Amino acid sequence: MKIKELVEIRKVIELGALRLIIEKNIDVHLEEFYDINYSYYQSIMNNKDTNQYDNDFHQLLIKTTQNETFYHFSEIIHEYFLLAKMDLIQNKEDLMKSYHEHEQIIKAVAEKNLSKAQQTMTQHFKPIFTFMKQMEEES
């Protein structure tokens, strides 16, 4: 149950990060996001582990808020997930969907479209919540 609560907090943090970036009108270095997402894509295509690039993408999002305390708080959550070794096993189709969601998030941030950014991020979190629900049902 604690992991589920942490997933909920992570979702709130990332939705909040999108809000901060857009409301503070932060100059986002889009190339960094695209570079990480391209590495994520290359990992998918080469059947390599995508976790590092996915984590890098989400951590960059939070770092972009230019709020150091917010970033450090998110690091605590991130470290817990690393310790818990909670990895979703995803097939290539799911990973490509995640890649495209990253692309949509980048574009929404570039367009300063908070609604679209948050809607896509919410969609991006659905597999994690589905996984959590399956774990609850199995226990």
Side-chain angles (χ1 to χ4, degrees), residues 45-128:
M45 292 295 105
N46 295 312
N47 296 312
K48 304 272 185 193
D49 186 9
T50 58
N51 284 335
Q52 183 61 53
Y53 298 113
D54 188 50
N55 289 333
D56 289 350
F57 180 88
H58 292 274
Q59 289 304 107
L60 179 59
L61 180 70
I62 295 164
K63 195 174 222 175
T64 301
T65 65
Q66 299 175 351
N67 183 318
E68 201 170 314
T69 303
F70 191 66
Y71 179 74
H72 289 303
F73 182 70
S74 75
E75 281 286 291
I76 294 167
I77 304 296
H78 175 71
E79 290 299 317
Y80 184 83
F81 279 110
L82 290 178
L83 289 173
K85 300 279 187 204
M86 192 193 95
D87 291 330
L88 289 175
I89 297 177
Q90 296 179 300
N91 60 36
K92 200 169 197 171
E93 182 181 324
D94 291 337
L95 292 169
M96 286 302 295
K97 184 175 185 283
S98 181
Y99 163 77
H100 289 296
E101 288 167 347
H102 285 174
E103 290 277 311
Q104 291 172 13
I105 291 165
I106 297 167
K107 288 177 185 173
V109 168
E111 295 167 357
K112 310 237 182 274
N113 185 337
L114 180 59
S115 175
K116 173 101 172 128
Q118 289 186 328
Q119 183 179 47
T120 305
M121 185 63 78
T122 298
Q123 183 67 32
H124 190 63
F125 270 94
K126 279 188 179 178
I128 298 169

